[in-house]
Every structure is written in C-alpha cells, then in structure tokens.
Amino acid sequence: MNKLILGRYIPGDSILHRMDPRAKLIASFYYIGIIFLARSWPAYLLLFGFTMALILISKIKLSFFLKGVRPLLWLILFTVLLQIFFTRGGTVYWQWGFLSLTKFGLLNGAYIFMRFVLIIFMSTLLTLTTPPLSLADAIESILKPLKVIHFPVYEVALMLSIALRFVPTLMDETTKIMNAQRARGVDFGEGSLLQQMKSIIPILIPLFVSSFNRADDLATAMEARGYQGGEGRSKYRVLKWQTRDTLAFVAMAVLTVGLVILR
Amino acid sequence: MDENKIIEVAHLKYEYPQASRLALNDLSVSINAGEWVAIIGHNGSGKSTFAKSLNGLLDLQSGSITIDGLPLSIETVWDIRRKIGMVFQNPDNQFVGATVEDDVAFGLENQGIERTEMQRRVQAAVDRVGMTQFMTREPSRLSGGQKQRVALAGIIAQQPEILILDEATSMLDPKGRQEVLETIHTLKQETNMTVLSITHDIDEAASADRIVMLDKGQVIDQGTPAEIFAYGQRLLDLGLDVPYPEKLKAALTKLGVPMPADYLTTERMVDHLWTLHSKM
C-alpha cells in the first residue's frame, strides 16, 4: 500500500500547502482542462515550465512525482503506441499493412505522452500538498450551491470526512484480521486464481461485520452528542480565501492566454 | 419531587428484539445531583441498556425517566441529551472527527454554537484532559487512552450536568485507565457534575459515593462501597469481583488471622495489620 503515491499527503509548509483547498481544487481541474488547448511544441514547453515551477514551489522531491507516473506507465505506453501506429497523415516514414509510422502519428504520440505526464503531475501535486480532510472541506464548499436542488451537501460532506477518518482504522483492522487468519493457517496470495479469491473471504466477512458494529456504535455516539442532521449546525473548520488564492487564478488566466497564443 | 434528585427512573422495562427475557425488568432508581454512582453487575445484567435508555437512545416499552425535572419524551429528548454527556466503551468507534480538535468540536457544532466561542471551549476542554500538544492529530495516531481522553474532552466542551461512563475504561491499559479516571475525578470536584459510571472495574466502583448493583435487569442492592463490598462472597457468586484488600482479608481469614467483618480500604487494612502485629 505504501507504493501508492496518488492520494497521499506529504506535510509541508510551502505556499502551495497553505493555499485554500478550494482554490487548489478548482485551479487543478482548470489546469487539466487547459492542457488540451496545447497543440504545439512551444505550448507544451510553457506547460512543462509552469508545472516544474509549481513543483519547485511545493518543495517536494521530483522523485515523488515520477513514482506517481509509474503505476500508469503501461496505460501511457499503450495509448502512445496506438496513436503512433494508427494515425495517418504527413510524411510516411514506414508502412506495413495497416500499421504506419507517419509524422503526424509520431507528433500525436508525443503530445499524448506529455498530456498524460502533465495531468498526473498536477493531480499528484494537488494530493501531495492537500490533506484529505481539507479536500473534503473544499468539496463541501464547492457543492454548496447544489443545496438549491435539495442535494444533501452536509450529509455527503460528513460521509466523506467519516470515511476518510476510518480509512486508517479499517486498514489496521484488515492487517489484524489477515494476521489472525494466517495464524489459523490461511494462505493469502498462493495457489490458483480461484483459491486466491476464496482466501479473501475470511478477511472480507469479518471486516464487513465489524464495519456494521462500528457504524452502529458511531451512530449511537453521534446521537448521544446531539447530532440531529445537517440543519442548524455551526462549523468549526472555516476555509479562508486569501490573496494568494486569487493570485493562483490570475496565474491560470495568464497561462490560458499564453496557451491560446502559442497553440 | 425532591429538588436534589437529578435522575429519577421508575419501573423501566425493555426487551431487545428476539431476546428471551427482559433486559430491564421494572428497574427503579434515583440519583442525586453531584453524586458519583457506580452501576455494577455481571455481563447481561442490563447495565449498558440502562445507560442508553437514560438519554433516549432506546425506545422504552414502559416506565418513566425524569432528568433534571424533564420527563423523557420525543419532545424533550434533545434537551435531555444536552444535559447528559456519554463516554462509550470503544475509543475508536466514538471518534467522529477527523482530528482531535474536530472531534471535540463535534458536539458543539451540533448545538450550533458560534465559532469563536467554540474555539475557546475546544481549547479549554483539550487543555483540561492534557491533550494540548495533540490538537491536530488524527485518531489513528493516538493510543486508546488518549482517544478516550479526547472523547471526554468532547463531553467537557458541551458542559453537561451529568456524565455517563458506559464502561469507558474497559478497553484501556491500567495506565490509561488511571489517567482517565483521575481526569474525571478532578473534573467532578471542580464542576460538581453528577457522574454515573457503569463498570466492571472494581477499583473504579470503590471510588464512587454509592454503588447500585444490577442483576437480571433489576436493582438488587445499593449502598456505599463499604456496605456493598462487605458482602464478599456474595459478590463473587454474582460474577463480580471484590477489591484487593477484601481478597487479602478472605485469604488471611482462611489462615486464621482475626479480621473485622466490615469493608476495609487499603489504608484501613494497613492500619489493621500493624495494630494486629503490635499486639502479637
């Protein structure tokens, strides 16, 4: 589980860490959107320069980002190869049956590769610099307008924050159950696929049952502490929008203009 | 009604679905304001059911509960829950917030308390239980005793009149248990709140003003710890334990050492032993 970089948070004290999570979330999505504007080398150069600058500001080692790319490497290679061999147009360098190596194909492949890397870098940057809890707060705040159409914003936010809070607890419990079952002679990760699937059951069922017990206990404790639903609650955590957050959007706007010119 | 009685319970009955017998069977008890009452009884004697019924977490089949002059009903249940703070057994399962401060603030958020007041109370409550340097910690990085202290801080912040400990120390190690109980003791001295502790821990019961013994959903006896622990063997027959000096007394009596019949605290036992020794 430790190999997974995507979705992990690294505590730090850079400007990016201190930004309002709402600003970060919206800006990241916006950035991923405008990546698709780029269709030329200078545009990609600009995007790469911008991303690298952000990574530098975040004071997080580049190796973390490269590790983030690793699990998706096969998907990237597959898509890139598909693009290279199946796109037609421009000078043909090589042809064999329905496969062809053309100028456009190579160019498209390179673009796709860069898009992938940029998207992964940016989303990794978002999760590395933002604690999951702040992200949940940000999502709640962004979803707030949906209350008009009776979307249960409070409930979704509470669900999200409880889910995030119980992730490590349930991970610990999974390890405990696995060890307890191992001590009773269950082999995990051995034998045929069917056997491996079967050996999951002694983890899954106890985990399921204990989750129900936990949910029951938690609901009782919440009720005892006066939880009556989202209405009429005040909030302890408050997100503060600061100048640096507005600046982030200005930077995004400038970048967009630059991209439109260079595309 | 007596002004002093903060909890009045009369003829409580409760039956869990698919249970063969009543969990609470005509239970009546009253508790005075500012009193520390320990409820003891073996497993299945109805202790936890009783605790949960007090703030309306269970629908009662019959009987009445009056908390601080308010009869428990659908209309009053939320007011009553404000008066009662409950700490449950499992430290993990009652931790709602994502960090210590969030969890302490949870009850205050529910009451719609204004934010600056909330911050002040959260800080005070966290200082109270000695968790100040852990304010922003997640529950997964705290020990059981620390989590239970956070649960206590959440209750302190709400400033209830009654504190119910539903086996709150049963999953803790001796040190954690000691710490939590000490915090509650000083808290009680300062605020004069009513404490109802439901417990298996005999030392916790020994420090109460009054002990109420439950069996088969009924109160079978109540009295001061001295009165209750003098039963000795009868407690053991009921599946309960006796405090350490009582065990020592029983063992010494067996060896023919003369012992007084009434309950001995550790100090009295020491006194008794040295008087006996100087007479020899």
Side-chain angles (χ1 to χ4, degrees), chain A residues 216-249:
Chain A
D216 195 35
D217 277 0
L218 189 70
T220 311
M222 282 169 68
E223 238 186 290
R225 285 166 72 181
Y227 181 75
Q228 292 182 67
E231 290 313 310
R233 291 191 82 214
S234 52
K235 271 191 79 74
Y236 181 71
R237 267 169 192 281
V238 174
L239 299 173
K240 258 201 233 99
W241 193 275
Q242 281 156 314
T243 331
R244 55 172 167 260
D245 304 308
T246 317
L247 274 176
F249 281 97

PDB file of all heavy atoms in Angstrom, chain A residues 216-249:
ATOM      1  N   ASP A 216     -22.807   1.128  13.918  1.00  0.00           N
ATOM      2  CA  ASP A 216     -23.832   1.177  14.947  1.00  0.00           C
ATOM      3  C   ASP A 216     -23.337   1.984  16.155  1.00  0.00           C
ATOM      4  O   ASP A 216     -24.025   2.883  16.646  1.00  0.00           O
ATOM      5  CB  ASP A 216     -24.179  -0.253  15.357  1.00  0.00           C
ATOM      6  CG  ASP A 216     -25.466  -0.299  16.149  1.00  0.00           C
ATOM      7  OD1 ASP A 216     -26.355   0.502  15.838  1.00  0.00           O
ATOM      8  OD2 ASP A 216     -25.553  -1.109  17.086  1.00  0.00           O
ATOM      9  N   ASP A 217     -22.127   1.668  16.599  1.00  0.00           N
ATOM     10  CA  ASP A 217     -21.538   2.371  17.741  1.00  0.00           C
ATOM     11  C   ASP A 217     -21.390   3.860  17.444  1.00  0.00           C
ATOM     12  O   ASP A 217     -21.694   4.711  18.278  1.00  0.00           O
ATOM     13  CB  ASP A 217     -20.139   1.813  18.052  1.00  0.00           C
ATOM     14  CG  ASP A 217     -20.212   0.565  18.900  1.00  0.00           C
ATOM     15  OD1 ASP A 217     -21.347   0.156  19.224  1.00  0.00           O
ATOM     16  OD2 ASP A 217     -19.158  -0.001  19.224  1.00  0.00           O
ATOM     17  N   LEU A 218     -20.906   4.142  16.246  1.00  0.00           N
ATOM     18  CA  LEU A 218     -20.654   5.528  15.871  1.00  0.00           C
ATOM     19  C   LEU A 218     -21.960   6.324  15.829  1.00  0.00           C
ATOM     20  O   LEU A 218     -22.032   7.447  16.314  1.00  0.00           O
ATOM     21  CB  LEU A 218     -19.951   5.591  14.510  1.00  0.00           C
ATOM     22  CG  LEU A 218     -19.449   6.957  14.103  1.00  0.00           C
ATOM     23  CD1 LEU A 218     -18.285   7.368  14.961  1.00  0.00           C
ATOM     24  CD2 LEU A 218     -19.043   6.968  12.642  1.00  0.00           C
ATOM     25  N   ALA A 219     -22.995   5.691  15.257  1.00  0.00           N
ATOM     26  CA  ALA A 219     -24.294   6.369  15.176  1.00  0.00           C
ATOM     27  C   ALA A 219     -24.814   6.664  16.576  1.00  0.00           C
ATOM     28  O   ALA A 219     -25.311   7.762  16.846  1.00  0.00           O
ATOM     29  CB  ALA A 219     -25.282   5.507  14.404  1.00  0.00           C
ATOM     30  N   THR A 220     -24.672   5.690  17.491  1.00  0.00           N
ATOM     31  CA  THR A 220     -25.119   5.896  18.874  1.00  0.00           C
ATOM     32  C   THR A 220     -24.347   7.050  19.506  1.00  0.00           C
ATOM     33  O   THR A 220     -24.935   7.936  20.126  1.00  0.00           O
ATOM     34  CB  THR A 220     -24.886   4.622  19.700  1.00  0.00           C
ATOM     35  OG1 THR A 220     -25.418   3.527  18.973  1.00  0.00           O
ATOM     36  CG2 THR A 220     -25.551   4.704  21.052  1.00  0.00           C
ATOM     37  N   ALA A 221     -23.021   7.033  19.326  1.00  0.00           N
ATOM     38  CA  ALA A 221     -22.188   8.079  19.932  1.00  0.00           C
ATOM     39  C   ALA A 221     -22.536   9.446  19.355  1.00  0.00           C
ATOM     40  O   ALA A 221     -22.573  10.443  20.071  1.00  0.00           O
ATOM     41  CB  ALA A 221     -20.718   7.770  19.704  1.00  0.00           C
ATOM     42  N   MET A 222     -22.799   9.491  18.045  1.00  0.00           N
ATOM     43  CA  MET A 222     -23.133  10.767  17.419  1.00  0.00           C
ATOM     44  C   MET A 222     -24.461  11.298  17.938  1.00  0.00           C
ATOM     45  O   MET A 222     -24.608  12.489  18.216  1.00  0.00           O
ATOM     46  CB  MET A 222     -23.202  10.604  15.898  1.00  0.00           C
ATOM     47  CG  MET A 222     -21.832  10.572  15.250  1.00  0.00           C
ATOM     48  SD  MET A 222     -21.908  10.084  13.534  1.00  0.00           S
ATOM     49  CE  MET A 222     -22.731  11.474  12.809  1.00  0.00           C
ATOM     50  N   GLU A 223     -25.417  10.395  18.060  1.00  0.00           N
ATOM     51  CA  GLU A 223     -26.729  10.809  18.556  1.00  0.00           C
ATOM     52  C   GLU A 223     -26.639  11.288  19.997  1.00  0.00           C
ATOM     53  O   GLU A 223     -27.237  12.296  20.370  1.00  0.00           O
ATOM     54  CB  GLU A 223     -27.697   9.636  18.456  1.00  0.00           C
ATOM     55  CG  GLU A 223     -28.902   9.946  17.612  1.00  0.00           C
ATOM     56  CD  GLU A 223     -29.896   8.825  17.655  1.00  0.00           C
ATOM     57  OE1 GLU A 223     -29.608   7.754  17.091  1.00  0.00           O
ATOM     58  OE2 GLU A 223     -30.937   8.993  18.273  1.00  0.00           O
ATOM     59  N   ALA A 224     -25.845  10.565  20.796  1.00  0.00           N
ATOM     60  CA  ALA A 224     -25.690  10.943  22.192  1.00  0.00           C
ATOM     61  C   ALA A 224     -25.048  12.319  22.321  1.00  0.00           C
ATOM     62  O   ALA A 224     -25.231  13.002  23.317  1.00  0.00           O
ATOM     63  CB  ALA A 224     -24.847   9.904  22.928  1.00  0.00           C
ATOM     64  N   ARG A 225     -24.296  12.706  21.303  1.00  0.00           N
ATOM     65  CA  ARG A 225     -23.663  14.026  21.356  1.00  0.00           C
ATOM     66  C   ARG A 225     -24.495  15.071  20.628  1.00  0.00           C
ATOM     67  O   ARG A 225     -24.018  16.149  20.315  1.00  0.00           O
ATOM     68  CB  ARG A 225     -22.257  13.946  20.763  1.00  0.00           C
ATOM     69  CG  ARG A 225     -21.321  13.267  21.751  1.00  0.00           C
ATOM     70  CD  ARG A 225     -20.040  12.860  21.124  1.00  0.00           C
ATOM     71  NE  ARG A 225     -19.189  13.982  20.837  1.00  0.00           N
ATOM     72  CZ  ARG A 225     -17.999  13.851  20.260  1.00  0.00           C
ATOM     73  NH1 ARG A 225     -17.549  12.662  19.914  1.00  0.00           N
ATOM     74  NH2 ARG A 225     -17.264  14.894  20.032  1.00  0.00           N
ATOM     75  N   GLY A 226     -25.741  14.720  20.365  1.00  0.00           N
ATOM     76  CA  GLY A 226     -26.682  15.727  19.878  1.00  0.00           C
ATOM     77  C   GLY A 226     -26.726  15.921  18.382  1.00  0.00           C
ATOM     78  O   GLY A 226     -27.192  16.954  17.910  1.00  0.00           O
ATOM     79  N   TYR A 227     -26.248  14.945  17.592  1.00  0.00           N
ATOM     80  CA  TYR A 227     -26.299  15.109  16.139  1.00  0.00           C
ATOM     81  C   TYR A 227     -27.722  14.895  15.641  1.00  0.00           C
ATOM     82  O   TYR A 227     -28.312  13.842  15.855  1.00  0.00           O
ATOM     83  CB  TYR A 227     -25.347  14.134  15.443  1.00  0.00           C
ATOM     84  CG  TYR A 227     -25.366  14.300  13.949  1.00  0.00           C
ATOM     85  CD1 TYR A 227     -24.740  15.383  13.359  1.00  0.00           C
ATOM     86  CD2 TYR A 227     -26.037  13.397  13.134  1.00  0.00           C
ATOM     87  CE1 TYR A 227     -24.779  15.564  11.998  1.00  0.00           C
ATOM     88  CE2 TYR A 227     -26.075  13.566  11.768  1.00  0.00           C
ATOM     89  CZ  TYR A 227     -25.451  14.653  11.199  1.00  0.00           C
ATOM     90  OH  TYR A 227     -25.493  14.837   9.846  1.00  0.00           O
ATOM     91  N   GLN A 228     -28.277  15.922  15.001  1.00  0.00           N
ATOM     92  CA  GLN A 228     -29.659  15.836  14.520  1.00  0.00           C
ATOM     93  C   GLN A 228     -29.746  16.029  13.022  1.00  0.00           C
ATOM     94  O   GLN A 228     -30.782  16.394  12.502  1.00  0.00           O
ATOM     95  CB  GLN A 228     -30.513  16.937  15.151  1.00  0.00           C
ATOM     96  CG  GLN A 228     -30.735  16.787  16.620  1.00  0.00           C
ATOM     97  CD  GLN A 228     -31.643  17.900  17.118  1.00  0.00           C
ATOM     98  OE1 GLN A 228     -32.801  17.949  16.764  1.00  0.00           O
ATOM     99  NE2 GLN A 228     -31.107  18.779  17.929  1.00  0.00           N
ATOM    100  N   GLY A 229     -28.656  15.864  12.318  1.00  0.00           N
ATOM    101  CA  GLY A 229     -28.663  16.121  10.886  1.00  0.00           C
ATOM    102  C   GLY A 229     -27.986  17.447  10.602  1.00  0.00           C
ATOM    103  O   GLY A 229     -27.623  18.180  11.519  1.00  0.00           O
ATOM    104  N   GLY A 230     -27.815  17.737   9.328  1.00  0.00           N
ATOM    105  CA  GLY A 230     -27.013  18.894   8.929  1.00  0.00           C
ATOM    106  C   GLY A 230     -27.585  20.254   9.301  1.00  0.00           C
ATOM    107  O   GLY A 230     -26.845  21.199   9.518  1.00  0.00           O
ATOM    108  N   GLU A 231     -28.909  20.362   9.402  1.00  0.00           N
ATOM    109  CA  GLU A 231     -29.521  21.674   9.647  1.00  0.00           C
ATOM    110  C   GLU A 231     -29.178  22.200  11.031  1.00  0.00           C
ATOM    111  O   GLU A 231     -29.130  21.460  12.002  1.00  0.00           O
ATOM    112  CB  GLU A 231     -31.042  21.583   9.489  1.00  0.00           C
ATOM    113  CG  GLU A 231     -31.497  21.383   8.061  1.00  0.00           C
ATOM    114  CD  GLU A 231     -30.831  22.316   7.058  1.00  0.00           C
ATOM    115  OE1 GLU A 231     -30.812  23.537   7.300  1.00  0.00           O
ATOM    116  OE2 GLU A 231     -30.303  21.819   6.050  1.00  0.00           O
ATOM    117  N   GLY A 232     -28.928  23.489  11.108  1.00  0.00           N
ATOM    118  CA  GLY A 232     -28.719  24.132  12.404  1.00  0.00           C
ATOM    119  C   GLY A 232     -27.360  23.863  13.012  1.00  0.00           C
ATOM    120  O   GLY A 232     -27.147  24.145  14.175  1.00  0.00           O
ATOM    121  N   ARG A 233     -26.431  23.306  12.233  1.00  0.00           N
ATOM    122  CA  ARG A 233     -25.096  23.073  12.775  1.00  0.00           C
ATOM    123  C   ARG A 233     -24.206  24.265  12.460  1.00  0.00           C
ATOM    124  O   ARG A 233     -24.343  24.895  11.418  1.00  0.00           O
ATOM    125  CB  ARG A 233     -24.462  21.828  12.132  1.00  0.00           C
ATOM    126  CG  ARG A 233     -25.125  20.550  12.523  1.00  0.00           C
ATOM    127  CD  ARG A 233     -24.281  19.379  12.077  1.00  0.00           C
ATOM    128  NE  ARG A 233     -23.215  19.139  13.037  1.00  0.00           N
ATOM    129  CZ  ARG A 233     -22.004  18.696  12.707  1.00  0.00           C
ATOM    130  NH1 ARG A 233     -21.687  18.485  11.472  1.00  0.00           N
ATOM    131  NH2 ARG A 233     -21.117  18.491  13.641  1.00  0.00           N
ATOM    132  N   SER A 234     -23.291  24.539  13.370  1.00  0.00           N
ATOM    133  CA  SER A 234     -22.284  25.525  13.042  1.00  0.00           C
ATOM    134  C   SER A 234     -21.038  24.755  12.612  1.00  0.00           C
ATOM    135  O   SER A 234     -20.988  23.552  12.742  1.00  0.00           O
ATOM    136  CB  SER A 234     -21.997  26.399  14.249  1.00  0.00           C
ATOM    137  OG  SER A 234     -21.710  25.598  15.365  1.00  0.00           O
ATOM    138  N   LYS A 235     -20.060  25.488  12.103  1.00  0.00           N
ATOM    139  CA  LYS A 235     -18.873  24.785  11.615  1.00  0.00           C
ATOM    140  C   LYS A 235     -17.620  25.218  12.357  1.00  0.00           C
ATOM    141  O   LYS A 235     -17.398  26.403  12.580  1.00  0.00           O
ATOM    142  CB  LYS A 235     -18.702  25.027  10.119  1.00  0.00           C
ATOM    143  CG  LYS A 235     -19.442  23.993   9.303  1.00  0.00           C
ATOM    144  CD  LYS A 235     -19.073  24.061   7.854  1.00  0.00           C
ATOM    145  CE  LYS A 235     -17.759  23.407   7.561  1.00  0.00           C
ATOM    146  NZ  LYS A 235     -17.794  21.957   7.604  1.00  0.00           N
ATOM    147  N   TYR A 236     -16.828  24.246  12.751  1.00  0.00           N
ATOM    148  CA  TYR A 236     -15.584  24.532  13.450  1.00  0.00           C
ATOM    149  C   TYR A 236     -14.496  24.921  12.448  1.00  0.00           C
ATOM    150  O   TYR A 236     -13.730  25.837  12.661  1.00  0.00           O
ATOM    151  CB  TYR A 236     -15.159  23.313  14.248  1.00  0.00           C
ATOM    152  CG  TYR A 236     -13.895  23.511  15.042  1.00  0.00           C
ATOM    153  CD1 TYR A 236     -13.870  24.326  16.159  1.00  0.00           C
ATOM    154  CD2 TYR A 236     -12.712  22.887  14.656  1.00  0.00           C
ATOM    155  CE1 TYR A 236     -12.718  24.512  16.876  1.00  0.00           C
ATOM    156  CE2 TYR A 236     -11.548  23.063  15.375  1.00  0.00           C
ATOM    157  CZ  TYR A 236     -11.549  23.882  16.487  1.00  0.00           C
ATOM    158  OH  TYR A 236     -10.401  24.063  17.199  1.00  0.00           O
ATOM    159  N   ARG A 237     -14.461  24.175  11.366  1.00  0.00           N
ATOM    160  CA  ARG A 237     -13.480  24.445  10.321  1.00  0.00           C
ATOM    161  C   ARG A 237     -14.013  25.465   9.355  1.00  0.00           C
ATOM    162  O   ARG A 237     -15.104  25.303   8.818  1.00  0.00           O
ATOM    163  CB  ARG A 237     -13.234  23.174   9.518  1.00  0.00           C
ATOM    164  CG  ARG A 237     -12.111  22.394  10.022  1.00  0.00           C
ATOM    165  CD  ARG A 237     -12.091  21.052   9.381  1.00  0.00           C
ATOM    166  NE  ARG A 237     -11.154  20.254  10.138  1.00  0.00           N
ATOM    167  CZ  ARG A 237      -9.846  20.355   9.983  1.00  0.00           C
ATOM    168  NH1 ARG A 237      -9.338  21.143   9.078  1.00  0.00           N
ATOM    169  NH2 ARG A 237      -9.053  19.629  10.734  1.00  0.00           N
ATOM    170  N   VAL A 238     -13.264  26.512   9.122  1.00  0.00           N
ATOM    171  CA  VAL A 238     -13.696  27.511   8.156  1.00  0.00           C
ATOM    172  C   VAL A 238     -12.554  27.738   7.170  1.00  0.00           C
ATOM    173  O   VAL A 238     -11.401  27.882   7.552  1.00  0.00           O
ATOM    174  CB  VAL A 238     -14.068  28.827   8.863  1.00  0.00           C
ATOM    175  CG1 VAL A 238     -14.377  29.903   7.853  1.00  0.00           C
ATOM    176  CG2 VAL A 238     -15.267  28.612   9.759  1.00  0.00           C
ATOM    177  N   LEU A 239     -12.914  27.718   5.887  1.00  0.00           N
ATOM    178  CA  LEU A 239     -11.890  27.945   4.865  1.00  0.00           C
ATOM    179  C   LEU A 239     -11.758  29.439   4.635  1.00  0.00           C
ATOM    180  O   LEU A 239     -12.739  30.161   4.602  1.00  0.00           O
ATOM    181  CB  LEU A 239     -12.307  27.253   3.566  1.00  0.00           C
ATOM    182  CG  LEU A 239     -12.472  25.739   3.672  1.00  0.00           C
ATOM    183  CD1 LEU A 239     -13.046  25.184   2.383  1.00  0.00           C
ATOM    184  CD2 LEU A 239     -11.148  25.078   3.977  1.00  0.00           C
ATOM    185  N   LYS A 240     -10.506  29.869   4.515  1.00  0.00           N
ATOM    186  CA  LYS A 240     -10.284  31.303   4.314  1.00  0.00           C
ATOM    187  C   LYS A 240      -9.657  31.567   2.960  1.00  0.00           C
ATOM    188  O   LYS A 240      -8.616  31.018   2.641  1.00  0.00           O
ATOM    189  CB  LYS A 240      -9.365  31.852   5.420  1.00  0.00           C
ATOM    190  CG  LYS A 240     -10.161  32.590   6.467  1.00  0.00           C
ATOM    191  CD  LYS A 240      -9.266  33.535   7.237  1.00  0.00           C
ATOM    192  CE  LYS A 240      -9.371  33.312   8.709  1.00  0.00           C
ATOM    193  NZ  LYS A 240      -8.376  32.530   9.347  1.00  0.00           N
ATOM    194  N   TRP A 241     -10.297  32.382   2.174  1.00  0.00           N
ATOM    195  CA  TRP A 241      -9.787  32.750   0.859  1.00  0.00           C
ATOM    196  C   TRP A 241      -8.822  33.914   1.033  1.00  0.00           C
ATOM    197  O   TRP A 241      -9.161  34.914   1.624  1.00  0.00           O
ATOM    198  CB  TRP A 241     -10.947  33.154  -0.043  1.00  0.00           C
ATOM    199  CG  TRP A 241     -10.555  33.245  -1.463  1.00  0.00           C
ATOM    200  CD1 TRP A 241      -9.997  34.312  -2.090  1.00  0.00           C
ATOM    201  CD2 TRP A 241     -10.688  32.224  -2.439  1.00  0.00           C
ATOM    202  NE1 TRP A 241      -9.759  34.014  -3.407  1.00  0.00           N
ATOM    203  CE2 TRP A 241     -10.173  32.738  -3.643  1.00  0.00           C
ATOM    204  CE3 TRP A 241     -11.171  30.919  -2.426  1.00  0.00           C
ATOM    205  CZ2 TRP A 241     -10.143  32.003  -4.822  1.00  0.00           C
ATOM    206  CZ3 TRP A 241     -11.148  30.187  -3.601  1.00  0.00           C
ATOM    207  CH2 TRP A 241     -10.631  30.719  -4.769  1.00  0.00           C
ATOM    208  N   GLN A 242      -7.585  33.754   0.535  1.00  0.00           N
ATOM    209  CA  GLN A 242      -6.613  34.821   0.717  1.00  0.00           C
ATOM    210  C   GLN A 242      -6.091  35.310  -0.613  1.00  0.00           C
ATOM    211  O   GLN A 242      -6.421  34.772  -1.664  1.00  0.00           O
ATOM    212  CB  GLN A 242      -5.460  34.317   1.595  1.00  0.00           C
ATOM    213  CG  GLN A 242      -5.843  34.332   3.056  1.00  0.00           C
ATOM    214  CD  GLN A 242      -5.033  33.359   3.864  1.00  0.00           C
ATOM    215  OE1 GLN A 242      -4.852  32.214   3.455  1.00  0.00           O
ATOM    216  NE2 GLN A 242      -4.546  33.792   4.996  1.00  0.00           N
ATOM    217  N   THR A 243      -5.261  36.321  -0.540  1.00  0.00           N
ATOM    218  CA  THR A 243      -4.749  36.927  -1.764  1.00  0.00           C
ATOM    219  C   THR A 243      -4.053  35.903  -2.642  1.00  0.00           C
ATOM    220  O   THR A 243      -4.187  35.912  -3.855  1.00  0.00           O
ATOM    221  CB  THR A 243      -3.737  38.048  -1.427  1.00  0.00           C
ATOM    222  OG1 THR A 243      -4.108  38.590  -0.178  1.00  0.00           O
ATOM    223  CG2 THR A 243      -3.723  39.102  -2.496  1.00  0.00           C
ATOM    224  N   ARG A 244      -3.259  34.994  -1.995  1.00  0.00           N
ATOM    225  CA  ARG A 244      -2.519  34.026  -2.808  1.00  0.00           C
ATOM    226  C   ARG A 244      -3.439  33.127  -3.623  1.00  0.00           C
ATOM    227  O   ARG A 244      -3.054  32.616  -4.666  1.00  0.00           O
ATOM    228  CB  ARG A 244      -1.584  33.191  -1.930  1.00  0.00           C
ATOM    229  CG  ARG A 244      -2.253  32.495  -0.774  1.00  0.00           C
ATOM    230  CD  ARG A 244      -1.269  31.547  -0.105  1.00  0.00           C
ATOM    231  NE  ARG A 244      -1.787  31.089   1.178  1.00  0.00           N
ATOM    232  CZ  ARG A 244      -1.412  31.599   2.348  1.00  0.00           C
ATOM    233  NH1 ARG A 244      -0.521  32.527   2.404  1.00  0.00           N
ATOM    234  NH2 ARG A 244      -1.948  31.130   3.462  1.00  0.00           N
ATOM    235  N   ASP A 245      -4.677  32.938  -3.131  1.00  0.00           N
ATOM    236  CA  ASP A 245      -5.626  32.107  -3.863  1.00  0.00           C
ATOM    237  C   ASP A 245      -6.127  32.825  -5.101  1.00  0.00           C
ATOM    238  O   ASP A 245      -6.252  32.233  -6.170  1.00  0.00           O
ATOM    239  CB  ASP A 245      -6.780  31.733  -2.947  1.00  0.00           C
ATOM    240  CG  ASP A 245      -6.277  31.035  -1.692  1.00  0.00           C
ATOM    241  OD1 ASP A 245      -5.516  30.061  -1.847  1.00  0.00           O
ATOM    242  OD2 ASP A 245      -6.608  31.478  -0.589  1.00  0.00           O
ATOM    243  N   THR A 246      -6.386  34.122  -4.936  1.00  0.00           N
ATOM    244  CA  THR A 246      -6.785  34.920  -6.085  1.00  0.00           C
ATOM    245  C   THR A 246      -5.636  34.962  -7.094  1.00  0.00           C
ATOM    246  O   THR A 246      -5.852  34.849  -8.299  1.00  0.00           O
ATOM    247  CB  THR A 246      -7.152  36.352  -5.650  1.00  0.00           C
ATOM    248  OG1 THR A 246      -7.929  36.262  -4.456  1.00  0.00           O
ATOM    249  CG2 THR A 246      -7.938  37.076  -6.717  1.00  0.00           C
ATOM    250  N   LEU A 247      -4.409  35.098  -6.567  1.00  0.00           N
ATOM    251  CA  LEU A 247      -3.230  35.122  -7.431  1.00  0.00           C
ATOM    252  C   LEU A 247      -3.113  33.852  -8.262  1.00  0.00           C
ATOM    253  O   LEU A 247      -2.736  33.895  -9.439  1.00  0.00           O
ATOM    254  CB  LEU A 247      -1.966  35.306  -6.594  1.00  0.00           C
ATOM    255  CG  LEU A 247      -1.599  36.752  -6.273  1.00  0.00           C
ATOM    256  CD1 LEU A 247      -0.392  36.788  -5.353  1.00  0.00           C
ATOM    257  CD2 LEU A 247      -1.308  37.523  -7.565  1.00  0.00           C
ATOM    258  N   ALA A 248      -3.451  32.731  -7.662  1.00  0.00           N
ATOM    259  CA  ALA A 248      -3.394  31.460  -8.383  1.00  0.00           C
ATOM    260  C   ALA A 248      -4.293  31.515  -9.616  1.00  0.00           C
ATOM    261  O   ALA A 248      -3.937  31.026 -10.696  1.00  0.00           O
ATOM    262  CB  ALA A 248      -3.819  30.322  -7.474  1.00  0.00           C
ATOM    263  N   PHE A 249      -5.460  32.138  -9.448  1.00  0.00           N
ATOM    264  CA  PHE A 249      -6.368  32.221 -10.584  1.00  0.00           C
ATOM    265  C   PHE A 249      -5.850  33.197 -11.636  1.00  0.00           C
ATOM    266  O   PHE A 249      -6.029  32.967 -12.820  1.00  0.00           O
ATOM    267  CB  PHE A 249      -7.770  32.614 -10.107  1.00  0.00           C
ATOM    268  CG  PHE A 249      -8.489  31.441  -9.543  1.00  0.00           C
ATOM    269  CD1 PHE A 249      -8.514  31.205  -8.183  1.00  0.00           C
ATOM    270  CD2 PHE A 249      -9.116  30.531 -10.390  1.00  0.00           C
ATOM    271  CE1 PHE A 249      -9.138  30.103  -7.668  1.00  0.00           C
ATOM    272  CE2 PHE A 249      -9.751  29.420  -9.885  1.00  0.00           C
ATOM    273  CZ  PHE A 249      -9.763  29.204  -8.517  1.00  0.00           C
TER     274      PHE A 249
END
